[in-house]
Amino acid sequence: SMALGKRRTKVIYYDCTNFYFETGQAEDDKQFGVSKENRPLPIVEMGLFMDRDGIPLAFCINPGNENEQQSLIPLENFRIYFIAYPVVGCQIVIQNFFQSVGKPRLSIFLSLTRQLLFLLPFLLVFPGIWGIDGVWASMAASDFLAFVVAIVTLWWWMRHVMRRMELRAGKLNPSTADDRNN
């Protein structure tokens, strides 16, 4: 959703509500529990986190017979996930830049770094160390490392392009251009 527009997440709103089902039997998450309407029907509870504009960030659905405080668990996970959130957009912009200048391989490489190169290995390791927090840490770490790789790739490409421009303009001697890179 960050690609669609800037999210205002300094203030996060939370609401918990119940949904009832017009059936007389409890099954799966549909369980008999306390509801505001006092209906004798199975319910599920939903916790919803929204940004300052009321746009949903995350939600969880729990059985209707559980304490609704369990629906607050995603709040702790948000703290872990949002550590790297400010840099996510930068990686996407750099990836789109390479696509627009006719470098689809670099764009695809940057696209794969976050999900394939970093996230999958982190998901295999981090949860074994930190449990469910490791899942959220995996996402934050992969976002941050993808950002670093995108910045380094952009820097390398810009340096390469500038060197080629200097060579074409005759400002560099081709035999010394390789020495300058070392």
Side-chain angles (χ1 to χ4, degrees), residues 5-176:
K6 186 172 180 174
R7 301 292 296 269
R8 299 189 310 163
T9 57
K10 281 194 172 188
V11 175
I12 295 177
Y13 297 103
Y14 170 77
D15 184 35
C16 185
T17 190
N18 294 323
F19 297 98
Y20 69 92
F21 295 86
E22 301 265 346
T23 179
Q25 60 187 27
E27 60 184 11
D28 300 321
D29 284 346
K30 297 179 280 190
Q31 298 293 323
F32 291 100
V34 179
S35 72
K36 297 172 191 159
E37 297 87 13
N38 292 320
R39 291 190 173 114
L41 299 169
I43 59 174
V44 296
E45 67 180 28
M46 181 181 84
L48 176 67
F49 290 92
M50 298 168 285
D51 67 7
R52 187 173 182 168
D53 298 317
I55 299 172
L57 293 169
F59 70 95
C60 65
I61 295 180
N62 295 318
N65 60 353
E66 289 186 4
N67 186 336
E68 66 183 28
Q69 290 177 343
Q70 294 294 320
S71 64
L72 280 170
I73 289 174
L75 182 59
E76 292 300 318
N77 300 335
F78 273 140
R79 291 180 183 160
I80 298 168
Y81 177 74
F82 281 120
I83 290 170
Y85 209 59
V87 298
V88 170
C90 185
Q91 190 263 352
I92 294 168
V93 168
I94 293 171
Q95 172 187 328
N96 289 335
F97 167 77
F98 282 119
Q99 183 71 32
S100 69
V101 296
K103 297 293 180 186
R105 288 183 180 158
L106 285 175
S107 180
I108 291 169
F109 167 72
L110 292 177
S111 176
L112 294 175
T113 57
R114 182 173 174 262
Q115 298 292 325
L116 190 65
L117 188 63
F118 297 127
L119 183 60
L120 288 178
F122 289 163
L123 284 172
L124 293 173
V125 175
F126 288 3
I129 299 169
W130 297 302
I132 190 68
D133 290 343
V135 174
W136 294 98
S138 297
M139 288 187 256
S142 67
D143 286 342
F144 183 75
L145 285 178
F147 162 74
V148 170
V149 168
I151 292 292
V152 168
T153 304
L154 180 63
W155 173 81
W156 170 82
W157 186 81
M158 292 296 287
R159 189 171 165 217
H160 177 72
V161 167
M162 293 304 292
R163 187 177 22 179
R164 289 180 70 194
M165 289 174 61
E166 289 172 354
L167 282 171
R168 285 185 184 160
K171 293 181 180 179
L172 281 179
N173 183 347
S175 63
T176 60

